[in-house]
Amino acid sequence: LLQLRRKNFVPSSQQWQLYASWKMALKKLKLLGGVTRGNSVTIFHDGDYAFERMWKSIEVAQHRVWLESYIFEPDRVGKETCRRLQRAAKRGCNVVLLIDHWGSPFAEHAPELRALRAAGAHVVVFNPVWPWDRGQGPLLFRNHRKILVADEEGFCGGMNVAEDYAGIQYGTGRFRDSHIWIRGPAVGVLAGIFTDSLRETGASPAARFKRWEYAKRAGGASISLALYRKDIRKTLDRPAHRQDTIVQILQSNVQQERRHIQRALHVALQHAHDSAFFTTPYFLPPRRLMRHMIQAARRGVDVRVLTAGKSDVPLSTMAAQHIYGSLLRNGVRIFEYQGRTLHAKTATVDGLYAIVGSFNLDIWSFERNLEVICTMIDPSTATDLTNQFSRDCRSARELTLSSWESRSVFARALHWAAYQFMLLFRRDPDSAVVDEHRSLLSAPSATRRDRD
């Protein structure tokens, strides 16, 4: 896009088509908000490096450390994180740890978290599931976000705080995951999404703390959303970093009818010109996303999906097998990762648009969970993700239509049953995943004019 603005640069017809398509796409994406310039980003594909960088950011923070995680285990990684948070609280930082009760059902009673509260930090549990302490939201409304804001540095991605997400130095190396480190004004947007998660814990965070008597244990301190907003404004007002990456932080909160991530995925597929590569451990997309994938593949876009071969949720993998036929028949290529357990949630489109976050291409992320992603308009970042995608595919098995159709009767029945069971958890029946749906298979290919 920048080359097309240079003098004496004569673009090819393909470059003009790419420019015209993404010019319209960027206009649509901008309407979703959360766009900032002047950011610097680094993507980690190794858990050890990611946790080392996060711990260092916590260690040097002077004002605030806000950590949000779906899973928080009191293992080696969790204990080291707690130690860093305790030191930050003792030196006067505003420390908040927000964990999901479904993902971390027993973490709040761990000795490490009790010590963290005693040091002056706040520990908030999202939407408790126990009958005697039920949250305000529906039982299946979960906080799947992974966010760290340490002063002017931010992190998000797929890594929870547990040994399984670290490498062999600090953990087990079980998962192949990705996480992103952000410096710049986008951190203020990420902090705003953190406060959105806090609001979902109740009418006001101070009321929740009073109810649990955490404020008393923390020396009478309480969370002030007004203070958070002030900190966010300060971050947004800071001068741009030297690296000028355009970053858009997007969220999904279906309770508040914020479906920004879903819309961004639809826009990216509608305007994809050459390629669209998705990495998702759980692949059970709603009908509309499947339609966009099929339409993109029909008009010549190289659409590929890398999903888990061996999964920590085997039922999801079995259910996904049931819907592969519609995609394979229409040119979408599907790969099952055979290395470590896949947990990364990334995407690249046309070597230009890059996505890293917590969002899976499944029913839970689309219809229930709180989610967050970081998207970038940056060829170098997109190239990094594309190269990682290629490396992962070399450790994956590509599914073919013939192998899918040659499944045994028992396998077909098992996949169908798993699929039907997963549909029980959908929030909106109209947006359910549909396989072999006549309208999906007969959907006409989009023309260049339709996409533009």
Side-chain angles (χ1 to χ4, degrees):
L1 294 176
L2 294 175
Q3 283 182 327
L4 292 174
R5 295 184 177 182
R6 296 175 183 169
K7 294 181 179 180
N8 303 322
F9 177 75
V10 180
S12 64
S13 59
Q14 185 177 11
Q15 288 172 321
W16 269 120
Q17 291 172 352
L18 179 65
Y19 173 75
S21 183
W22 275 98
K23 182 180 180 181
M24 180 63 67
L26 293 179
K27 288 182 179 180
K28 295 178 181 179
L29 291 171
K30 186 179 179 181
L31 297 176
L32 300 177
V35 180
T36 59
R37 299 193 62 169
N39 299 282
S40 178
V41 299
T42 304
I43 298 177
F44 297 103
H45 303 294
D46 182 276
D48 285 339
Y49 291 135
F51 282 110
E52 282 180 354
R53 182 61 256 182
M54 286 190 281
W55 290 336
K56 185 175 181 179
S57 297
I58 295 172
E59 199 67 33
V60 300
Q62 297 299 318
H63 303 291
R64 61 175 176 181
V65 179
W66 302 342
L67 177 60
E68 180 176 2
S69 184
Y70 177 65
I71 296 174
F72 192 101
E73 293 289 348
D75 51 22
R76 285 182 295 167
V77 171
K79 289 177 180 178
E80 180 61 27
T81 303
C82 281
R83 282 193 288 268
R84 306 279 178 141
L85 293 175
Q86 285 179 44
R87 289 199 288 265
K90 288 179 180 179
R91 64 176 179 265
C93 290
N94 176 219
V95 178
V96 183
L97 173 61
L98 175 59
I99 58 177
D100 184 85
H101 196 248
W102 187 285
S104 310
F106 306 107
E108 64 175 318
H109 302 297
E112 292 76 15
L113 268 65
R114 289 199 295 267
L116 186 59
R117 297 187 195 106
H122 305 288
V123 179
V124 184
V125 180
F126 184 89
N127 199 13
V129 300
W130 305 130
W132 56 86
D133 191 26
R134 276 287 294 122
Q136 294 188 356
L139 181 64
L140 297 181
F141 175 47
R142 308 316 319 170
N143 184 1
H144 195 242
R145 294 169 179 166
K146 294 92 176 173
I147 293 174
L148 171 63
V149 176
D151 283 353
E152 316 308 328
E153 299 183 19
F155 298 81
C156 75
M159 296 183 188
N160 292 290
V161 182
E163 288 183 0
D164 286 345
Y165 302 88
I168 57 175
Q169 181 177 354
Y170 299 115
T172 64
R174 176 187 178 190
F175 289 115
R176 217 301 284 154
D177 214 335
S178 297
H179 222 65
I180 189 167
W181 173 31
I182 310 166
R183 288 83 73 202
V187 178
V189 183
L190 197 62
I193 293 178
F194 180 89
T195 63
D196 173 75
S197 301
L198 274 181
R199 293 188 194 97
E200 293 294 344
T201 63
S204 69
R208 296 283 288 176
F209 276 83
K210 185 177 181 181
R211 175 185 172 192
W212 292 334
E213 297 182 353
Y214 286 173
K216 182 178 179 181
R217 299 177 190 176
S222 63
I223 294 179
S224 170
L225 285 179
L227 176 62
Y228 286 1
R229 295 190 188 101
K230 183 178 179 180
D231 286 345
I232 293 166
R233 286 195 297 271
K234 286 181 180 179
T235 305
L236 290 171
D237 292 339
R238 289 181 62 84
H241 284 219
R242 288 176 295 173
Q243 296 191 26
D244 193 21
T245 301
I246 300 174
V247 171
Q248 184 176 36
I249 305 293
L250 296 174
Q251 65 167 308
S252 176
N253 184 341
V254 294
Q255 293 294 112
Q256 303 298 329
E257 296 300 326
R258 300 192 192 107
R259 302 173 184 268
H260 301 164
I261 299 175
Q262 294 87 327
R263 293 171 185 169
L265 290 172
H266 296 155
V267 169
L269 278 168
Q270 285 176 318
H271 293 271
H273 187 270
D274 296 317
S275 62
F277 300 153
F278 297 93
T279 299
T280 177
Y282 319 115
F283 185 57
L284 204 63
R287 178 172 57 193
R288 186 179 179 189
L289 185 68
M290 285 184 66
R291 183 184 299 115
H292 285 313
M293 284 183 168
I294 289 172
Q295 289 175 347
R298 283 181 173 180
R299 64 175 184 265
V301 178
D302 183 7
V303 181
R304 304 185 192 184
V305 177
L306 174 68
T307 189
K310 60 177 182 179
S311 175
D312 58 324
V313 186
L315 190 65
S316 176
T317 302
M318 288 188 289
Q321 290 279 347
H322 183 68
I323 67 169
Y324 285 164
S326 299
L327 297 164
L328 294 171
R329 290 192 188 98
N330 287 276
V332 178
R333 298 176 67 183
I334 301 174
F335 298 81
E336 288 188 340
Y337 189 65
Q338 302 298 310
R340 294 177 292 163
T341 304
L342 185 68
H343 197 260
K345 307 98 165 44
T346 63
T348 60
V349 182
D350 290 344
L352 173 68
Y353 189 60
I355 300 175
V356 179
S358 66
F359 194 88
N360 295 303
L361 302 186
D362 69 351
I363 295 174
W364 295 87
S365 287
F366 266 86
E367 300 184 10
R368 292 197 175 276
N369 296 339
L370 290 181
E371 303 283 3
V372 63
I373 65 170
C374 174
T375 72
M376 294 138 285
I377 306 296
D378 181 35
S380 62
T381 304
T383 299
D384 174 56
L385 285 178
T386 301
N387 291 339
Q388 182 62 43
F389 183 89
S390 299
R391 288 192 292 270
D392 289 337
C393 283
R394 288 196 288 269
S395 300
R397 176 177 66 92
E398 183 172 6
L399 275 70
T400 62
L401 183 60
S402 59
S403 64
W404 182 83
E405 291 178 336
S406 62
R407 293 173 300 157
S408 66
V409 174
F410 175 77
R412 291 170 184 260
L414 185 64
H415 298 160
W416 175 86
Y419 167 80
Q420 297 298 328
F421 180 79
M422 293 298 291
L423 288 187
L424 297 176
F425 299 102
R426 65 193 182 192
R427 182 172 182 265
D428 181 2
D430 293 334
S431 62
V433 181
V434 176
D435 180 39
E436 311 299 344
H437 196 284
R438 184 172 300 175
S439 64
L440 184 63
L441 295 176
S442 61
S445 300
T447 63
R448 296 291 182 191
R449 184 177 179 181
D450 291 335
R451 290 188 294 119
D452 294 343

